[in-house]
Amino acid sequence: MTTTPIPLTPASRATPLAVTIASWAVPVMIVGQFAMLASVPVAVALVGALVRVRDRAVRAAAVLLAATYAIPLTIWLARPDGAPSLSKDMHPGLAALIVAASAVLIVTVHRSGRR
């Protein structure tokens, strides 16, 4: 008698659900002025895409999102006279860039799921 292992994710889903949810959570948190807490979904999206996703476009989009998030975070950490929160210290153009990079990740995640 042989047993077939039950897959943890559906066979049709190319991207894990955690990466999809994290890609949607980043722009919501950035726009909602929770930029420091957005580091958690950025990390989840990056690690999940690099470890569990085969599509190179999703991996590249996750790296792009992490890189765009790292720019204002590094500036905020390096400045001795920075604002008490990352959201208040971040330039609106950088916030828009992070939201755009997250939109690229969302599109690539959904595109890879349809193949």
Side-chain angles (χ1 to χ4, degrees):
M1 182 186 316
T2 60
T3 59
T4 306
I6 299 172
L8 297 177
T9 59
S12 63
R13 179 171 283 291
T15 306
L17 185 61
V19 175
T20 305
I21 292 171
S23 66
W24 281 97
V26 172
V28 170
M29 289 183 155
I30 294 294
V31 171
Q33 297 292 310
F34 292 103
M36 191 63 195
L37 288 177
S39 63
V40 174
V42 168
V44 168
L46 179 65
V47 171
L50 292 178
V51 173
R52 307 277 300 201
V53 178
R54 293 182 187 168
D55 191 4
R56 288 186 181 189
V58 174
R59 289 180 177 186
V63 169
L64 175 70
L65 174 63
T68 56
Y69 181 79
I71 294 169
L73 181 63
T74 304
I75 292 170
W76 180 65
L77 290 173
R79 288 179 53 189
D81 62 339
S85 74
L86 179 60
S87 298
K88 300 217 184 301
D89 196 46
M90 188 185 313
H91 189 275
L94 289 174
L97 188 65
I98 294 170
V99 170
S102 183
V104 168
L105 179 59
I106 290 167
V107 169
T108 57
V109 163
H110 288 293
R111 183 189 53 82
S112 73
R114 292 187 180 191
R115 284 197 228 165

